[in-house]
Amino acid sequence: MIEVADRLKHVEEYYFSKKLREVAFLKSQGKPIINLGIGSPDLEPPTKATMLLKDSLDDEGANKYQSYQGLPELRDEIANFYKKRFKVTVNGQTEVLPLLGSKEGIMHISMAFLNKGDEVLVPNPGYPTYAAVSNLLEANPILYDLKEDNHWLPDFIALERLDLSRVKIMWINYPHMPTGANAPNKFYDEVIAFGKRHNILIVNDNPYSFVLNERPISIMRYRNAKDVCLELNSFSKTFNMAGWRVGMVVGSYEHLTAVLKVKSNMDSGMFYGIQKGAIEALQCSDMWFVSLNSVYQLRRELVWKLVEALGCIYDEYATGIFVWAKLPPKIKSEEFTDMVLKKHSIFIAPGTVFGSNGEGYVRFSLCAPEEIIKEAISRVK
């Protein structure tokens, strides 16, 4: 076999990619596995979005390559969405860039701004892709602590003690995955000032804004944000369009021009029909969000019962499509999740997937129908 690139020596296969193969094998052996480990929305996208996608297939040019920057009307509709939902003004033609999912954006932003040996501030716990992409680009992820006793927020005093001379990017993610924590207004002012003080690009990964969250926030509403910030967002959770692969990054024209240089060499544009459906989704009324959250509210209350049945505790004020639960003392996360899988045929995620500060915690997904969650509760009880 041809020897693989050195960069792969520092990157593992994504945990859920490996674990789902194990789950699939158990299912093939007749095990009735309940999957509460993955945040893949099972609800339907907006009906009008799906209809418009289908209808657009007959449009002239629908089968052709599309613009690397997306349809102008999609960019404008994203700007309208930011204005209506976040009270943020961005120029759709210069400060918005549609993406083939926001995960793509993590790679593109990193490629646009990182050189070999640069450093990246990555939350612990946090989305594993931040560190993985840094390693792939031969940059050095520097983990910064998020802990329950500080409400899962960064300690800026501790950060200031670090040698920040080689740090180029800081990843933040509120509402936070996996804990569901939200950040107060003061945090956004602090992190923007921190970025300006040290010439660090602050990237807010913001896909969980609208799920069980009464106060959606964009970092772009804060003073001087466009100077040092980019924000990623996604249709996956907000509109149940995970498989459509539609996301966006917003920020200054200068920052997005750098990202576009990477993106335009990596893909050939987003399929026309998906863009038309995305435009329709962005126009959903308030009732869409009310309906979406009513479903997740019922599911969350059931998952809380499951958490309690397993002897864990949760934060009732957390948001998003997951429930982050604290284990009883001295129990290890992976040992616990393996036990739950073996004993009850229920797959949940160990907190250590998201970093060392996830030890002692587990994560439950709300992306399963009520009857499935009830079945999980009955198995444990």
Side-chain angles (χ1 to χ4, degrees):
M1 175 180 168
I2 302 298
E3 186 175 357
V4 301
D6 289 343
R7 66 177 64 90
L8 291 186
K9 297 175 182 178
H10 306 288
V11 177
E12 296 291 332
E13 183 183 359
Y14 192 43
Y15 170 83
F16 291 108
S17 175
K18 294 186 292 184
K19 198 66 178 181
L20 286 177
R21 283 202 301 272
E22 179 184 342
V23 169
F25 174 77
L26 290 172
K27 284 187 173 182
S28 73
Q29 300 300 303
K31 294 285 187 179
I33 305 296
I34 291 175
N35 186 347
L36 298 179
I38 303 296
S40 179
D42 60 307
L43 300 173
E44 293 297 316
T47 302
K48 288 185 177 180
T50 304
M51 290 174 60
L52 198 61
L53 184 155
K54 294 176 180 177
D55 292 344
S56 70
L57 299 180
D58 294 326
D59 288 0
E60 184 178 356
N63 60 311
K64 294 182 178 179
Y65 287 125
Q66 300 298 313
S67 166
Y68 299 107
Q69 295 170 276
L71 294 171
E73 53 266 42
L74 174 58
R75 301 201 302 273
D76 282 341
E77 202 56 54
I78 292 171
N80 292 338
F81 182 85
Y82 260 74
K83 182 70 172 177
K84 182 177 181 180
R85 301 295 172 185
F86 291 123
K87 304 297 186 288
V88 167
T89 299
V90 292
N91 185 313
Q93 299 310 304
T94 60
E95 296 177 327
V96 172
L97 181 62
L99 302 169
L100 307 183
S102 60
K103 192 172 185 178
E104 174 206 58
I106 297 171
M107 175 61 83
H108 290 353
I109 291 167
S110 298
M111 291 183 72
F113 293 100
L114 294 176
N115 293 313
K116 181 178 179 179
D118 284 341
E119 294 180 344
V120 184
L121 291 173
V122 173
N124 176 16
Y127 187 32
T129 298
Y130 306 143
V133 165
S134 301
N135 284 323
L136 281 170
L137 297 178
E138 299 181 272
N140 300 317
I142 307 298
L143 301 181
Y144 66 88
D145 287 330
L146 303 180
K147 295 188 176 180
E148 185 176 10
D149 58 10
N150 194 38
H151 309 290
W152 305 106
L153 294 168
D155 181 345
F156 285 102
I157 295 175
L159 286 173
E160 290 287 357
R161 295 194 186 108
L162 300 175
D163 177 3
L164 301 168
S165 60
R166 295 192 65 83
V167 175
K168 293 284 291 295
I169 293 175
M170 178 179 183
W171 291 100
I172 63 173
N173 162 225
Y174 293 97
H176 183 245
M177 195 293 296
T179 70
N182 277 289
N185 288 318
K186 178 184 177 184
F187 162 77
Y188 292 99
D189 289 326
E190 283 185 310
V191 77
I192 292 167
F194 177 78
K196 287 182 70 69
R197 193 157 55 246
H198 298 287
N199 197 31
I200 296 171
L201 179 66
I202 307 298
V203 188
N204 186 39
D205 190 15
N206 197 17
Y208 299 97
S209 314
F210 297 97
V211 180
L212 296 174
N213 183 26
E214 296 179 358
R215 196 171 64 97
I217 290 178
S218 166
I219 198 171
M220 290 302 168
R221 70 180 290 181
Y222 295 87
R223 186 176 179 183
N224 298 321
K226 289 180 185 177
D227 294 346
V228 291
C229 298
L230 289 172
E231 180 164 89
L232 289 168
N233 218 312
S234 169
F235 287 62
S236 295
K237 277 68 178 183
T238 303
F239 299 112
N240 305 324
M241 292 164 61
W244 293 42
R245 307 313 302 141
V246 188
M248 75 283 275
V249 56
V250 300
S252 72
Y253 171 77
E254 291 76 17
H255 287 140
L256 292 193
T257 297
V259 176
L260 181 60
K261 285 184 180 180
V262 175
K263 175 178 165 53
S264 61
N265 283 287
M266 298 289 287
D267 69 59
S268 298
M270 187 187 302
F271 176 54
Y272 173 84
I274 287 178
Q275 294 189 70
K276 298 296 283 188
I279 292 168
E280 186 64 38
L282 289 164
Q283 297 172 359
C284 281
S285 69
D286 293 347
M287 188 52 63
W288 167 262
F289 299 94
V290 171
S291 176
L292 180 74
N293 284 308
S294 66
V295 173
Y296 280 127
Q297 178 65 42
L298 291 173
R299 292 180 177 187
R300 184 170 65 176
E301 290 172 1
L302 288 171
V303 168
W304 284 346
K305 291 180 180 179
L306 177 60
V307 170
E308 291 170 348
L310 287 166
C312 306
I313 58 176
Y314 57 87
D315 177 5
E316 63 181 294
Y317 298 106
T319 61
I321 65 169
F322 303 106
V323 171
W324 182 247
K326 190 172 186 177
L327 298 173
K330 299 182 181 179
I331 296 181
K332 298 292 187 181
S333 297
E334 292 198 34
E335 292 175 2
F336 184 83
T337 56
D338 285 344
M339 179 276 292
V340 172
L341 181 59
K342 182 178 180 180
K343 185 176 180 180
H344 304 296
S345 294
I346 302 170
F347 170 45
I348 56 177
T352 46
V353 171
F354 311 102
S356 60
N357 287 340
E359 183 60 87
Y361 298 86
V362 291
R363 192 193 72 175
F364 297 76
S365 170
L366 302 182
C367 299
E370 291 175 46
E371 58 269 22
I372 297 297
I373 304 172
K374 289 177 181 177
E375 168 62 20
I377 295 169
S378 69
R379 290 185 188 181
V380 172
K381 286 186 173 181

